Amino acid sequence: MAIWPPLAPVPPPAVQSAIPPQEWELYTDAWILLLSLRIESSNAEFAQYASTDDSAVTFLTSFYDQLASAGTPGLHMGTKARTLRRLCFLLTRRLLLDAPTSPPDLLEWKYLGNMCSCYPSSSALKKLLSEAWDKHEETISSSLEKAKTTMTKQLAMSSSAQAPKIISDIRLLTILGSVLPPCGQTLMAGSDFLDTCCEAYQGHKREDFRKVLVAIIYVGLTSLLKGPKPNLSLLLDQLFSLKASAGINAPTTKKEPTLLSDLICSSDLLVRLDRYLILHPQKRGQDLLSSLRAYQIESNVFHHRYQKQKRRLDKGKARATTDLPQADDMHIHRMSLITQIQDLFPDLGSGYIVRLLDVYDDNPEIVIAHLLDDSIPPELQNLDKSEQLPTTDSTAPKHDPFPPRPTPPGISPPTQARKNIFDKDVDLADLAETDQLRFGRANPDQTADDILADRSKHAANKAAIMSALASFDSDDDERDDTYDVADVGGTVDATTTDTDADAKHKADELDLTLFRTYKLRRRCLLGTRLPVGRSHELR
């Protein structure tokens, strides 16, 4: 018998909601203390008592089962909740790797899948699952085979009422296969599960149901390319099987979405296969890839790429805190659907009916049928059935974007005296007068007004200014002094001896001589004989 105090299991969400916060904090402290006691025990003590500690296994199973669901805020928020999650992980690791005999309940696929849901993108979890697979491969594989067989039967005979549970199990198995590739390889072994998924895809038109089928097949096929020993042959066989089920290149095939078309159009499976074939070329794989690319082009009209929606930043500009539309903004047709249901169920609120219409695609007949059969999903039954639509409150004060603000106070004058960078300079003017060296101004208290009002040296200053103006030649820069006597080095006679009449007479004689020469030259060129007595003029 173990010497450790037993651990109480985590209560279900309905019980947790009735526990006061102070009491729940005491439960958390007790769990942390008891988990620490088991984790910090010695190897010999742990090996002796771990195999008989059934309360720890029950607690861990209930803890991860509740933590994987969204209705347990006490296990998600707070510092103690994080400490509790860390200690549960450490105890699970020690039970799976250090215990002489690991508990079979901790090797079940649901327990491992819940752990993967609670620690997303955790490298420590991937390492733990890989080591646990190496040590307990047979036990985990047996659990996966049972899950695959059960899920195959459920998919073969599934109905709309069983769809939520099947979707939950498939999602959990998909998460486990994405973290632990050998699990995905186990799912792809054989053809029963794949063929059943193809038939279920064609038989169900629900979008969420088809998405989970595509996700688990994608994870299973891509896991065949992972690990130390990729299984390309099995991957190609499964793709050929999907191709045959889709009826590609068959003359009677109907153009409609299939599991294969959704798989290759909505995911990067062909891209991953192409990368692998580049490194490991194979004729069979290349031919299959070419045919699937052609089929992808034909089927693009039916599908779109699955992408994670970007989370928008809440800027606080919402009109209301509820997700329901206001009654004033709702379409009249939908209001008629609400009144149609309220005629039969007057105790139901308009807000609750809107949520039912959202789930059942605005079909009041289906809503009424489910209400009469009491087959409403549990997540809707737990809501407030008297919830009403929000209404606009006309009396509520409106937000003024430009509220009046008080006048800012006046700026007080500076208390310290202003300083100048030249305060410590030497005043050369005062030095010339007093023959004393000073730093800064001679009289720091003297202002500009005092200097202008001082008339003691007015006459001397005025005389100095007038003397400077008298010695300044304003035309000095405009006058041309090139031929001044001082610059030329001699005298220039500015007078002439000839009169204006003599100068004009000389100019006329010069013009007459030029004219005569021109006439004689012209006659010589024309061959005219010169008159006697004129030949000497050409010399």
Side-chain angles (χ1 to χ4, degrees), residues 237-258:
D237 291 342
Q238 298 292 14
L239 288 177
F240 273 112
S241 177
L242 289 173
K243 183 179 176 182
S245 300
I248 300 178
N249 299 328
T252 59
T253 302
K254 183 181 178 181
K255 296 294 183 180
E256 61 179 356
T258 61

Side-chain angles (χ1 to χ4, degrees), residues 181-318:
C183 293
Q185 297 172 6
T186 303
L187 292 176
M188 290 296 102
S191 59
D192 295 341
F193 181 72
L194 188 63
D195 295 340
T196 306
C197 288
C198 291
E199 296 175 0
Y201 185 91
Q202 297 302 130
H204 291 269
K205 303 301 181 182
R206 291 182 54 175
E207 187 69 19
D208 56 345
F209 190 81
R210 288 186 168 185
K211 282 184 178 181
V212 295
L213 292 178
V214 172
I216 193 169
I217 298 301
Y218 170 78
V219 169
L221 293 178
T222 53
S223 64
L224 297 175
L225 298 177
K226 300 177 182 179
K229 296 180 180 180
N231 196 344
L232 179 63
S233 177
L234 180 58
L235 173 61
L236 298 180
D237 291 342
Q238 298 292 14
L239 288 177
F240 273 112
S241 177
L242 289 173
K243 183 179 176 182
S245 300
I248 300 178
N249 299 328
T252 59
T253 302
K254 183 181 178 181
K255 296 294 183 180
E256 61 179 356
T258 61
L259 179 60
L260 179 61
S261 65
D262 201 347
L263 182 65
I264 62 178
C265 294
S266 306
S267 67
D268 61 342
L269 177 63
L270 297 185
V271 177
R272 290 174 177 265
L273 180 59
D274 188 18
R275 291 175 184 172
Y276 188 85
L277 291 176
I278 291 175
L279 300 177
H280 307 84
Q282 189 183 87
K283 182 67 168 58
R284 179 171 175 244
Q286 294 290 351
D287 295 341
L288 177 61
L289 182 62
S290 301
S291 62
L292 291 180
R293 287 194 183 280
Y295 183 59
Q296 182 186 31
I297 296 174
E298 297 176 1
S299 305
N300 274 332
V301 294
F302 301 114
H303 310 284
H304 62 277
R305 186 71 175 267
Y306 294 151
Q307 293 182 351
K308 185 178 180 180
Q309 297 293 332
K310 294 183 178 180
R311 182 177 297 178
R312 294 186 177 181
L313 181 63
D314 186 10
K315 298 182 179 180
K317 298 181 179 180

